[in-house]
Amino acid sequence: MGNRTMGLFSKDCAYCGSSGADETCNGCGMAVHYECAKSKGHLQVKEEGGGLLSSSTTYYRWNCPNCGRIKEGQA
């Protein structure tokens, strides 16, 4: 779909155009679904197993293809 600049308050995914984006870039406002960004190679996911009594934690790193800003977090 190319590098399309999204509006700052838009919640439509820049890749598929559907609403309900999971992540929005703090730099340019580009919004994406995690799965769409992952399929394009812009989202890396790392899952760390929990201990005996705790569940696993999923971390992500998203590289905005529009402005290059990197965003990390927990999903």
Side-chain angles (χ1 to χ4, degrees), residues 34-63:
Y34 289 133
E35 286 303 315
C36 293
K38 189 175 177 182
S39 72
K40 295 289 186 179
H42 299 142
L43 180 81
Q44 294 82 42
V45 178
K46 177 182 177 185
E47 190 165 326
E48 291 185 357
L52 186 59
L53 299 175
S54 63
S55 61
S56 63
T57 304
T58 302
Y59 298 96
Y60 69 90
R61 178 182 171 120
W62 177 50
N63 300 322

Side-chain angles (χ1 to χ4, degrees), residues 26-38:
N26 291 333
C28 67
M30 181 178 182
V32 298
H33 293 117
Y34 289 133
E35 286 303 315
C36 293
K38 189 175 177 182

